[in-house]
Amino acid sequence: MYQRPLQVAARSVARAAGNRTGRATVLEQDTCVGALAACQRIRTGCSTPCRTLHISSQWCSVKETAQQSQEEVGAFTRLFEAMGFSSPLKYNKWKIKIAALRMYTCCVERINYEEFFEKCSLPDTLNSWFLVTQLHVWMCLVRMRQEGREGKFLCHYIVHSMWGDVEQRSKIMGIDAVQRKEAMKAMTENFYAAMFGYDEGILSDDRVLAAALWRNLFSRQCEDPHQLELMVEYVRKQMQFIDSLDGEDLLLTGEVQWRPLLEENAQSILKVVRPTYNDAGL
């Protein structure tokens, strides 16, 4: 009476043992789907709106990022540049220098520093101004490094314009030569450390980027997680917007528009307005 059900169960166990590999794959897929569904239920059940945390378990490299392919540079050109000589570029070097100055001007004049000081609880000092400025300069450098040798040439003069501006502002504020030299040395060290930290953060997840902002922009003084969340969101959306700009237009004009620090729909990309310039690239 009970032999047939037992035989059926035995055959089922045998088939399961024989197809263990295939069933393990199916079980893994079912487990992943269940985990995603659970995460979705937890997220929808949360009453407090918050930004979705971007977490990546895989470290990205520069070669894995979506960048434009750079032009091939011959061995003679590389040797020529290594000897200290400048090789011809696609555009006139004076035009690129003017575009670099304009791009740095956009990093300074189109930023609402008072809003950054208020939302990030930063003191109204020259150092705070420099920390906000270097963040936007870094975003421009990341974008222009994708434009080959011309972009690297423009990056050099953006940084050159920044240090000239910092020194001039310190003179206007009446800082004596000795203190100015020490301050410039400290800012230089902070700048290159920040570039490394921001590069690591933009290539990884939000936690690493938030740590870089906490160390550099907030000078390890931030205790409000909402301020870090605001700045991580700002950097992400700003980089997304800058990447959508045409590289040739940036090389010829240097015009960069910045998205506001606070906006209702931060996930959308603003419509890119192509700049106008004449045949001379001005």
Side-chain angles (χ1 to χ4, degrees), residues 12-160:
S12 300
V13 172
R15 285 197 301 269
N19 300 329
R20 181 175 299 174
T21 304
R23 292 181 60 84
T25 304
V26 175
L27 289 174
E28 290 178 358
Q29 295 177 354
D30 294 340
T31 303
C32 293
V33 173
L36 291 175
C39 293
Q40 185 66 26
R41 288 193 298 269
I42 293 175
R43 181 181 301 175
T44 54
C46 181
S47 59
T48 305
C50 60
R51 179 180 179 274
T52 303
L53 178 64
H54 169 70
I55 302 177
S56 174
S57 60
Q58 180 180 3
W59 292 92
C60 300
S61 63
V62 177
K63 293 182 180 180
E64 294 175 354
T65 57
Q67 295 183 359
Q68 299 180 1
S69 59
Q70 297 182 0
E71 57 181 343
E72 294 294 335
V73 180
F76 179 77
T77 302
R78 291 196 296 267
L79 178 61
F80 194 71
E81 293 180 347
M83 295 173 61
F85 299 97
S86 58
S87 57
L89 300 176
K90 183 179 179 181
Y91 303 107
N92 185 278
K93 293 184 178 180
W94 284 106
K95 295 178 183 178
I96 298 180
K97 289 181 181 180
I98 294 174
L101 181 59
R102 287 177 176 173
M103 186 169 293
Y104 173 73
T105 304
C106 293
C107 295
V108 176
E109 295 185 353
R110 295 183 178 177
I111 302 299
N112 187 351
Y113 288 93
E114 294 182 357
E115 184 180 20
F116 276 91
F117 294 165
E118 178 184 357
K119 299 300 181 181
C120 299
S121 301
L122 299 175
D124 189 359
T125 60
L126 177 63
N127 185 63
S128 297
W129 170 89
F130 174 74
L131 295 177
V132 176
T133 301
Q134 78 171 0
L135 176 64
H136 292 82
V137 168
W138 164 76
M139 288 189 280
C140 290
L141 297 180
V142 171
R143 176 62 183 90
M144 298 314 300
R145 282 199 295 260
Q146 303 178 29
E147 300 302 324
R149 294 164 56 244
E150 291 78 12
K152 294 180 180 178
F153 184 82
L154 185 139
C155 290
H156 172 76
Y157 280 94
I158 290 178
V159 177
H160 179 77

